[in-house]
């Protein structure tokens, strides 16, 4: 006899596709959702549907946003001569949390990875070059993750950007090597920003 | 400046309400959902909506099911003289996996816990007594979790059921004490069923 009803099996299956969710977590979340009142679950469904419908990619920096251009790109209070390049939108948040950085961002949506078949054309590099052509940018801070792929991406971008006469810097290696930018605490992140070195 | 757009904040918030999901996991899942194509996300939303719409509580045993009575209660192949009492629907699955047990189930939807304010009236005990009045039940196996709350629930139920002239047994303590029934492997669970002792 099938252990679960078909709708339950399907929900557990779908939940297991989420990052960091295994069979046991999926099962636990599924039963939690079934126990919870309908209104609370409706809110979750609505929240998921909303991000899919309302969140777009910023046409300038590729940040995920509900207004285009995003709040950062549209803000006159930010320093438009400074662009910080990160791999993912979540990385931007790690930097914002320091409350130190007042420039703009550029989200690559990934990092170079020959092993996983991610080349320069898979990243938002072309739109970065486009920005440099039209805007008055003086410095690019490369804040890709301090791991192999992030380093490779930073090196690649440095070679590409230096000839354009810009200041190109890399965030300081105050961050533990091999880690993930998302998990950096504010102080480490702050030091990394302050210790950025020109490439 | 707000780090995330409002729909993203709301989604992260909703995801954090799920069991075992903290801020970082919620953030990771939210960005994963935004990156994923719309069709895949639609499937997840559909799966959540479906369980809420199609899954009901079995009117006999309180199992979560898409047919009422559930497959177990409705099956003539199961031994209707034997009822195994568990705390949660997921516990039923741990027992089914042994492929040894052929009786019926009764799901309490919780365990007695004075600390958390869960008393007998909060569990599906009344409907268990109801079943005993109308059906020909010979034995009740108390398979509540082998922790303090599960033990207290088993003791309470044993005192309640013994006077009715039934055989009342408790699953064998082959299960490591203090653990959770969901995480038992098939062999341990099998031994626990075989070693059940009469109360």
């Amino acid at each position: 006899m099938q252990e679960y009803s078909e709708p339950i099996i399907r929900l557990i299956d779908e939940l297991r596709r989420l990052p960091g969710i295994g069979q046991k977590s999926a099962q636990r979340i599924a039963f939690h959702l079934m126990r919870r009142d309908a209104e609370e679950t409706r809110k979750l469904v609505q929240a998921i549907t909303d991000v899919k419908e309302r969140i777009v990619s910023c046409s300038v920096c590729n940040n995920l946003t509900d207004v285009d251009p995003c709040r950062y790109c549209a803000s006159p209070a930010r320093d438009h001569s400074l662009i910080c390049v990160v791999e993912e939108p979540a990385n931007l948040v790690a930097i914002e949390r320091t409350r130190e950085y007042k420039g703009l961002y550029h989200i690559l949506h990934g990092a170079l990875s020959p092993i996983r078949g991610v080349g320069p054309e898979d990243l938002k590099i072309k739109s970065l070059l486009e920005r440099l052509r039209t805007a008055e940018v003086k410095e690019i801070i490369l804040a890709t993750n301090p791991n192999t792929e992030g380093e490779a991406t930073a090196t690649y971008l440095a070679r590409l950007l230096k000839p354009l006469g810009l200041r190109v810097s890399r965030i300081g290696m105050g961050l533990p090597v091999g880690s993930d930018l998302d998990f950096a605490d504010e102080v480490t992140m702050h030091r990394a920003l302050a210790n950025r070195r020109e490439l």
Side-chain angles (χ1 to χ4, degrees), chain A:
Chain A
M1 194 174 299
Q2 221 179 21
E3 286 157 356
Y4 292 116
S5 304
E6 185 275 327
I8 304 182
I9 292 172
R10 205 147 44 77
L11 176 57
I12 292 175
D13 245 42
E14 288 297 332
L15 290 170
R16 280 184 60 189
R17 288 174 204 271
L18 301 176
I21 306 291
Q23 174 68 22
K24 286 284 175 199
S25 305
Q27 198 171 295
R28 178 161 292 178
I29 293 171
F31 281 108
H32 172 85
L33 288 173
M34 286 185 270
R35 249 198 311 269
R36 218 157 62 154
D37 69 60
E39 173 57 17
E40 283 211 69
T41 307
R42 197 200 54 75
K43 276 195 207 157
L44 171 65
V45 164
Q46 191 58 50
I48 297 173
T49 312
D50 273 3
V51 292
K52 293 308 272 191
E53 279 170 7
R54 293 177 47 195
I55 298 296
V56 294
S57 192
C58 171
S59 57
V60 180
C61 73
N62 303 304
N63 186 19
L64 296 172
T65 172
D66 58 344
V67 284
D68 185 23
C70 77
R71 286 175 186 76
Y72 301 103
C73 291
S75 168
R78 310 283 303 199
D79 181 352
H80 284 239
S81 72
L82 193 56
I83 294 179
C84 181
V85 177
V86 293
E87 294 179 20
E88 301 292 346
N91 299 150
L92 178 159
V93 176
I95 292 170
E96 277 301 298
R97 255 189 250 119
T98 65
R99 301 179 193 283
E100 292 281 331
Y101 181 72
K102 295 294 170 212
L104 302 183
Y105 291 96
H106 191 84
I107 288 104
L108 297 173
H109 286 279
L112 294 178
S113 171
I115 291 170
R116 291 189 290 148
V118 181
E121 66 290 344
D122 299 313
L123 306 179
K124 305 290 185 187
I125 293 175
K126 202 183 272 181
S127 63
L128 175 62
L129 296 176
E130 211 98 352
R131 284 176 80 176
L132 301 179
R133 206 172 316 165
T134 54
E136 275 181 39
V137 179
K138 290 182 190 139
E139 181 178 351
I140 303 268
I141 303 176
L142 300 172
T144 50
N145 278 321
N147 54 25
T148 323
E149 298 178 354
E151 278 293 298
T153 310
T155 309
Y156 176 87
L157 287 175
R159 278 200 204 129
L160 200 69
L161 301 171
K162 289 281 279 186
L164 304 179
L166 297 155
R167 212 177 149 212
V168 179
S169 58
R170 176 88 174 104
I171 43 164
M173 281 298 123
L175 296 168
V177 173
S179 66
D180 198 288
L181 218 77
D182 282 16
F183 293 85
D185 60 273
E186 287 89 319
V187 182
T188 312
M189 197 64 228
H190 175 203
R191 285 190 61 162
L193 277 169
N195 294 340
R196 67 182 184 262
R197 60 185 161 81
E198 202 165 340
L199 297 182

